[in-house]
Amino acid sequence: MVHTVQELSIGHVSERTGLSVHTLRLYEREGLLIEPVRRSSGGHRVYTELDVEWLINCTRFRASGMPLATIRRYVELARKGPGNEAERLAILRTHQQQITERIDELTACLGLIKRKVGVYEELVADGVAEDPWSPTGHTPT
């Protein structure tokens, strides 16, 4: 059985990944795609399913706070092929640690907010006009 590679337009890739056409062009210029984007005979960008999968990875890397420069370095290593897995692993471990630290920080923030929500829920339910969190003792407006 012969497998054909489905060719996707930049518009289709934008729809599938949630990235704007402008961002897709930026990612290409920044060298963030594993393979260079092919062009049709008419000069239009032609993407593959593998490009879409990689771009979805990029959106997750970006959403997690990974800088474009770090993604670019990872891509450069991936393009070189086998032999640099330890460096790729180091990039991912470093970022994993940064995410873990950020999650811990956000968890502490969420704990504070949950406690304050509980206090205000009690105040509202009790109809109390005194606010223990306010320096004046009055419920803020």
Side-chain angles (χ1 to χ4, degrees):
M1 176 182 227
V2 176
H3 293 282
T4 59
V5 175
Q6 183 179 6
E7 296 183 341
L8 304 167
S9 71
I10 196 168
H12 285 111
V13 173
S14 176
E15 290 173 16
R16 296 262 311 272
T17 62
L19 295 169
S20 69
V21 169
H22 172 76
T23 300
L24 290 169
R25 290 180 183 135
L26 170 72
Y27 278 23
E28 181 182 355
R29 276 193 312 274
E30 291 291 323
L32 301 182
L33 286 110
I34 299 293
E35 297 290 331
V37 177
R38 289 188 325 100
R39 299 287 182 144
S40 69
S41 59
H44 297 282
R45 289 172 174 84
V46 177
Y47 295 86
T48 66
E49 286 295 327
L50 290 173
D51 293 324
V52 171
E53 287 177 31
W54 175 249
L55 286 163
I56 290 169
N57 287 344
C58 285
T59 61
R60 290 186 180 136
F61 287 150
R62 290 293 297 140
S64 70
M66 185 180 280
L68 291 179
T70 303
I71 298 171
R72 185 180 312 107
R73 179 65 186 141
Y74 183 86
V75 168
E76 289 168 357
L77 293 168
R79 281 187 196 136
K80 290 179 181 178
N84 57 34
E85 291 82 3
E87 192 172 350
R88 285 187 251 174
L89 177 60
I91 289 169
L92 294 173
R93 279 190 174 153
T94 297
H95 191 63
Q96 179 182 26
Q97 181 60 35
Q98 292 167 346
I99 292 171
T100 300
E101 290 168 5
R102 183 68 178 136
I103 289 170
D104 291 345
E105 180 182 349
L106 288 171
T107 300
C109 294
L110 182 59
L112 168 67
I113 292 168
K114 282 182 175 181
R115 286 191 302 278
K116 290 185 80 63
V117 164
V119 168
Y120 282 100
E121 285 175 341
E122 286 182 31
L123 289 171
V124 169
D126 294 343
V128 176
E130 296 291 320
D131 179 2
W133 298 103
S134 171
T136 63
H138 303 309
T139 302
T141 57

